[in-house]
Amino acid sequence: KLAVRGVVRPPFIARADMASLTLSDLGRIGLPLFAGAPMALRPAEVPPNEGGGYSGGSSSSRAPVPAAVLARAPEAAGKGGKPAPAAVAAPAAGRGAGMAGSACALGTPLIDIGANLLDPMFRGEYRGKPRHQVDLPAVMQRAAAAGVGQIMVTAGSLEEAREALALCRSAPRDGSWPELVCTVGVHPTRCGEFEAWAEGPDAYLAALLAAGQEGADGPCVAVGEFGLDYDRLQFCSKDVQLKFFERQLVELAAPLGLPLFLHCRTGEAAQDLASILEKHVARLPERPGAVHSFDGSLEDAMRFVKLGFCIGINGCSLRTQENLEVVKQLPGESIVIETDAPWCGIKATHAGHKFVRSAWDEVKKPEKWEDHASLKLRELQHFGG
């Protein structure tokens, strides 16, 4: 878990392992963007590719989340069998530092607005190779013990939307896990699935809408993860992304009336994304949602903020000094925090790493896995690090 000072005004805890989560201080910025629990941000990614996050691979090649994922694991504990320490974020420096104590200190539940809990790494699988036992239950128990009240499970395809709904409905509700909510939508790098669908794009969209409607009275709280990604056009062309982003906006998000969980990569994509949102502004809900994992320019961020969107911040948002300068200038009330776990941790090479203030029990290699400890930067293990 990473406590960060001086980068953003609201204090937050950041870590992509999900044993210690990146979370918003709801006392300051926990707007009910994603309808549901009081002050909750009710906010999908796919098989990781070489750049991290979603790939262009078909979700049909992934095994469904096994029932074992939901099995209760031994209660998380610190070294020597002692309870793991709760996370407390230090007050943020800079403007707004005089605010009341952190969410942890105030006893306010913390919310991670985006985590890839369907990722095979939480089943102990790295590039298709098993390296430790399923540990999602242990991760969730550590998260709950650290004060995490809710996590939005992101989906990036029709299959993942259905898996996310099943996971949310099957998760323990006795307080041992955070409450799980989820999204429904198709990631930009996977929009080729619309045209590859045997019954055609219209049928795929109809099935997505049906999944969203099925979960609308429960765990489905946002449409996404969808948007534009011009950094990985090898997985899906720009034209296909544009076509099916707009169709999802009009034919999925608008009928469901849910906030948007948006993906945006490159400045050109940001301009196109904002233009389409402005074109359809009348279709957006009152609190339209969040642009997640933001690492763009202040100008692009403020264009989204002007439309009412919040800006999602995680380790990828804190890589460079330029990133830090952007985050510092964002309106505090427009910042929301996410892990995007198991991706987007704050690495030692990142400019934001100097603001890390806390440490947790962890192991560095999957083969050294222990149920009480975080696995340090799982994404590096995926790449053989």
Side-chain angles (χ1 to χ4, degrees):
K1 301 174 184 159
L2 312 175
V4 181
R5 298 173 184 257
V7 180
V8 295
R9 290 181 294 286
F12 67 96
I13 302 165
R15 176 60 190 275
D17 184 88
M18 284 290 296
S20 2
L21 298 169
T22 308
L23 307 173
S24 55
D25 180 331
L26 300 186
R28 168 69 169 161
I29 57 175
L31 304 178
L33 288 181
F34 302 96
M39 300 185 70
L41 298 179
R42 308 260 345 260
E45 228 165 325
V46 288
N49 63 71
E50 295 303 318
Y54 287 116
S55 77
S58 169
S59 61
S60 62
S61 65
R62 297 178 56 218
V65 179
V69 167
L70 301 176
R72 294 295 301 277
E75 196 64 34
K79 291 179 179 178
K82 297 180 180 179
V88 178
R95 289 180 295 170
M99 61 173 283
S102 72
C104 287
L106 293 172
T108 306
L110 301 170
I111 295 161
D112 181 1
I113 70 157
N116 303 292
L117 299 190
L118 301 177
D119 194 287
M121 283 188 271
F122 290 119
R123 303 200 296 270
E125 298 175 17
Y126 299 76
R127 291 182 173 273
K129 179 181 177 181
R131 297 178 68 184
H132 60 75
Q133 69 185 66
V134 172
D135 68 340
L136 182 60
V139 170
M140 291 295 94
Q141 289 169 13
R142 291 197 297 271
V148 181
Q150 189 180 73
I151 298 169
M152 189 167 80
V153 183
T154 57
S157 68
L158 172 59
E159 181 176 342
E160 286 189 356
R162 291 167 172 167
E163 290 179 6
L165 285 167
L167 176 61
C168 292
R169 287 173 173 149
S170 302
R173 292 177 174 81
D174 57 3
S176 62
W177 286 32
E179 178 192 9
L180 300 186
V181 295
C182 67
T183 69
V184 57
V186 178
H187 191 276
T189 63
R190 300 183 69 180
C191 282
E193 291 193 15
F194 285 101
E195 297 183 333
W197 195 247
E199 299 174 9
D202 292 349
Y204 192 105
L205 262 168
L208 274 175
L209 179 59
Q213 290 170 334
E214 177 192 346
D217 293 334
C220 183
V221 297
V223 173
E225 175 180 353
F226 73 137
L228 299 173
D229 189 325
Y230 295 172
D231 193 42
R232 291 177 281 183
L233 294 175
Q234 70 270 31
F235 296 119
C236 187
S237 71
K238 177 179 175 181
D239 289 347
V240 171
Q241 289 187 37
L242 286 164
K243 176 181 179 179
F244 289 106
F245 169 66
E246 192 159 13
R247 287 200 65 179
Q248 287 184 86
L249 184 61
V250 174
E251 300 175 48
L252 180 63
L256 290 175
L258 294 174
L260 316 181
F261 188 69
L262 295 172
H263 177 101
C264 182
R265 279 290 175 271
T266 81
E268 182 186 357
Q271 293 300 308
D272 287 349
L273 189 67
S275 294
I276 295 171
L277 293 169
E278 289 165 353
K279 173 183 173 182
H280 294 287
V281 67
R283 301 178 187 270
L284 301 178
E286 181 180 357
R287 288 194 171 116
V291 182
H292 105 106
S293 193
F294 187 82
D295 64 355
S297 70
L298 180 63
E299 179 183 5
D300 289 340
M302 294 310 298
R303 191 172 175 186
F304 293 123
V305 168
K306 186 176 180 180
L307 287 168
F309 287 90
C310 284
I311 305 299
I313 301 300
N314 59 31
C316 291
S317 311
L318 307 172
R319 285 174 173 164
T320 68
Q321 188 58 43
E322 183 179 24
N323 291 152
L324 302 188
E325 293 304 319
V326 170
V327 174
K328 285 181 183 179
Q329 296 178 72
L330 292 174
E333 63 274 12
S334 297
I335 296 173
V336 289
I337 306 301
E338 58 181 285
T339 56
D340 205 23
W343 305 97
C344 296
I346 302 178
K347 302 178 180 66
T349 55
H350 290 180
H353 191 267
K354 61 189 175 185
F355 297 106
V356 174
R357 290 290 183 272
S358 57
W360 302 80
D361 287 349
E362 61 184 15
V363 295
K364 295 183 178 181
K365 293 291 182 181
E367 291 77 12
K368 300 292 186 181
W369 179 89
E370 298 179 40
D371 64 7
H372 68 80
S374 301
L375 178 55
K376 185 174 183 179
L377 293 172
R378 290 176 192 242
E379 60 188 296
L380 295 183
Q381 308 305 324
H382 172 78
F383 299 121

